[in-house]
Amino acid sequence: MRLRALLENDALGLRLLGGEDELDRGVRGVMTTDLRDPSRYLSGGELVLTGLAWRRSAQDTEPFVRILAAAQVAALAAGEAELGDIPDDLIAACARHRLPLFAVNESVAFATITEYVVRQVSGERAGDLAAVVDRHRRLMTSGPAGGGPEVVLDLLGTDLDLHAWVLSPTGRRIAGAELPASVGAALAGEQLAALRGGRRGPHRVRVQSRTYSLFPIRNTGRGQPTDGGDVRESVLSDWMLAVEADAADWPAARLDLLQGVTQLIAVERDRREAARTVRRRLAQEVLELVQSGAAPAEVAARLRVAAPVLLPGLGSAPHWQVVVARVDWGPDSAAVEAGPVAQSLLEEILVDPSSSGPDSSDRIAVAHVGREAIALVPLSPVSPPGEAGTEGVAQSGLHAETLLSAVQQPLSAGLADDGRLTLGVSAPVSSAEGLRGALEEARHARRVAAARPGRVSAAGHHELASHVLLLPFVPDDVRRAFTARLLDPLREYDQRHRAELIPTLEAFLESDGSWTRCATRLHLHVNTLRYRVGRIEQLTGRDLSRLEDKLDFFLALRMS
């Protein structure tokens, strides 16, 4: 907007005291200050409002005006409420520095002027950005990506001064400036909880003393609540746009603009989804061969085709690891097509943050069979002698306990009260012959995870000891009755007397019944330990010198 527009609005009650020749200056913003030196808060083009509290004498005027002129502000508007008439020394100083000066009638609040300027400037910027976004939309929908979401976020920053990020449903940063992982996870959790609760966006949240507005970026390839789809089929795969601003008081034009931005980014979202088709097809073909009992040579031939796609430039065949995931939605699970949901979610969980390129999941092949999603994860082969970096990866591979650590908070919010995610991880294998066993191992590890409490649970191959293999097949009511019979008397005694019998029992079993090692571990005298164990035996009617009773306690603790 131009300075001239301020004079043309009678409601603002402004009188021009100098600078008639400068009324075509543009106004980019507004700032209210009574600091003697406000330069650190000025970027140029502002209408500066002041109540003149900084002026203690005429000698203060020249330095103040000189600072404003050096910062290239648009104009100065001085209020008459404090001193009555505007001082002549201020009028003269503004004239010397060619700084337009307005007098603000004492009946007009600075807030009225500020609201008017902000509304005008925001409207103009929104119009400019809308035109740019429209041009960019046409480019993206008719040809190459042209920079993807980063370009759109740059436009929001330069044209509307909005800091924004594109985040995945787990809070992973897809586009935008650096963002702490904890903030991304918290924002994703708030967004997923809002979507599951049926609240309309944008969603306003506070994270680490900052206000954000969250806009969903719909995956147009699947049904949405607005077109008859079930929100559970999309909530764990949709991206979101997080803007560091409070959209509660935004005008409808700006909200429409941000909705347009999300539609623009959704084009790139769909493009990346389509790019996964080849990797998904490879995984499906390999999986069908493995499950049908095809000869290892046939499976190996298909893996040789898959390796260059998943690990371009790698000369030798990699090691492989199998990860199985399943999403269940409670009693009405049949109403939701869970296979594609688990597939998208597993692709997101397996993203390698250190990989380069537009999509860091481009080394993962995930298929879905029924309600399960199954991933073939390539691991770099053991490095040649003397070469560091990949040998440890090939030997250890992915670990169940670390896969879900960073995403547990947001995913639990998205699963709400009716959903569960369970995940199993196999040991790495180095040949096609090992894939069938790895698949069964991952599936059983997932069943072990399903036997545990919690919305999000995972288990790995190292947890498949003989006793663990049996636990998932024990009915829930039997397990609960068994653990209650053995452990409830100890828990009740601990609550009344703070005797720490349960921790003592765990330490005693982990010390293989050795009194000396257990006492050292607990920092107790052996006589104190013997007293506690005696109390455990008295309360439960068991004998911890018998192998059968030790095994029962061990299983009860594992199932509790």
Side-chain angles (χ1 to χ4, degrees), residues 292-329:
S292 65
E298 187 177 359
V299 178
R302 199 74 198 115
L303 287 176
R304 283 194 293 272
V305 174
V309 176
L310 302 177
L311 290 174
L314 190 66
S316 56
H319 291 66
W320 298 91
Q321 205 164 5
V322 178
V323 182
V324 174
R326 175 166 169 155
V327 176
D328 293 289
W329 295 108

Side-chain angles (χ1 to χ4, degrees), residues 57-68:
S57 68
Q59 284 71 32
D60 296 330
T61 300
E62 177 64 22
F64 181 83
V65 174
R66 186 187 308 119
I67 289 170
L68 299 187

Side-chain angles (χ1 to χ4, degrees), residues 37-337:
D37 182 4
S39 58
R40 74 184 72 177
Y41 306 110
L42 299 172
S43 58
E46 297 93 343
L47 170 66
V48 177
L49 303 174
T50 180
L52 299 178
W54 53 266
R55 183 185 179 277
R56 298 175 184 174
S57 68
Q59 284 71 32
D60 296 330
T61 300
E62 177 64 22
F64 181 83
V65 174
R66 186 187 308 119
I67 289 170
L68 299 187
Q72 298 183 335
V73 304
L76 174 64
E80 295 178 323
E82 184 73 19
L83 301 178
D85 292 337
I86 305 302
D88 291 339
D89 53 88
L90 181 58
I91 297 174
C94 288
R96 283 195 300 273
H97 291 280
R98 300 181 60 84
L99 180 64
L101 176 63
F102 296 93
V104 183
N105 190 280
E106 61 180 293
S107 64
V108 179
F110 282 179
T112 301
I113 301 173
T114 299
E115 181 182 1
Y116 174 79
V117 173
V118 169
R119 188 166 59 247
Q120 295 299 314
V121 172
S122 297
E124 291 172 5
R125 289 184 180 177
D128 293 341
L129 183 58
V132 175
V133 168
D134 185 63
R135 290 197 301 271
H136 197 71
R137 180 188 291 113
R138 289 197 297 269
L139 285 174
M140 290 186 69
T141 55
S142 62
E150 292 286 0
V151 173
V152 183
L153 298 190
D154 286 344
L155 293 175
L156 288 176
T158 57
D159 286 44
L160 287 183
D161 297 326
L162 291 176
H163 299 290
W165 298 264
V166 177
L167 303 176
S168 77
T170 64
R172 176 175 62 91
R173 181 175 59 88
I174 296 169
E178 290 295 327
L179 186 71
S182 59
V183 175
L187 292 175
E190 294 281 0
Q191 171 77 351
L192 293 178
L195 292 176
R196 287 307 314 275
R199 303 199 300 272
R200 296 182 61 85
H203 308 117
R204 177 187 178 277
V205 300
R206 292 277 294 175
V207 175
Q208 296 186 6
S209 302
R210 296 179 180 271
T211 301
Y212 298 86
S213 297
L214 310 178
F215 298 79
I217 300 173
R218 298 299 190 188
N219 179 2
T220 58
R222 296 199 177 103
Q224 306 298 334
T226 54
D227 60 15
D230 192 314
V231 68
R232 293 174 296 181
E233 293 182 353
S234 62
V235 67
L236 297 178
S237 61
D238 283 343
W239 289 357
M240 70 171 177
L241 176 67
V243 181
E244 189 180 340
D246 188 347
D249 298 324
W250 281 4
R254 176 168 284 205
L255 289 173
D256 289 345
L257 172 62
L258 266 293
Q259 294 294 347
V261 169
T262 64
Q263 294 171 12
L264 178 58
I265 298 175
V267 174
E268 179 67 11
R269 170 73 175 85
D270 293 344
R271 179 175 281 107
R272 294 192 188 188
E273 182 78 6
R276 292 175 173 174
T277 302
V278 173
R279 299 191 296 276
R280 289 173 172 174
R281 186 172 65 247
L282 284 172
Q284 198 77 39
E285 292 173 355
V286 172
L287 183 62
E288 288 174 358
L289 289 174
V290 170
Q291 293 193 126
S292 65
E298 187 177 359
V299 178
R302 199 74 198 115
L303 287 176
R304 283 194 293 272
V305 174
V309 176
L310 302 177
L311 290 174
L314 190 66
S316 56
H319 291 66
W320 298 91
Q321 205 164 5
V322 178
V323 182
V324 174
R326 175 166 169 155
V327 176
D328 293 289
W329 295 108
D332 61 339
S333 286
V336 182
E337 190 178 0

Side-chain angles (χ1 to χ4, degrees), residues 444-521:
H444 197 87
R446 192 206 64 78
R447 289 193 288 270
V448 169
R452 296 172 176 169
R455 291 289 161 199
V456 179
S457 182
H461 58 91
H462 60 285
E463 300 179 71
L464 300 184
S466 57
H467 66 279
V468 176
L469 290 172
L470 301 175
L471 297 184
F473 303 102
V474 178
D476 288 345
D477 54 346
V478 175
R479 284 191 288 130
R480 284 193 294 269
F482 179 74
T483 57
R485 185 170 64 252
L486 278 179
L487 300 183
D488 279 2
L490 306 182
R491 292 193 181 105
E492 292 170 2
Y493 190 88
D494 281 348
Q495 289 175 355
R496 290 197 307 269
H497 303 285
R498 298 183 180 179
E500 298 187 353
L501 295 185
I502 292 288
T504 301
L505 176 61
E506 292 176 333
F508 186 73
L509 295 175
E510 291 172 2
S511 301
D512 297 325
S514 169
W515 297 99
T516 303
R517 290 205 307 271
C518 184
T520 301
R521 178 173 181 171

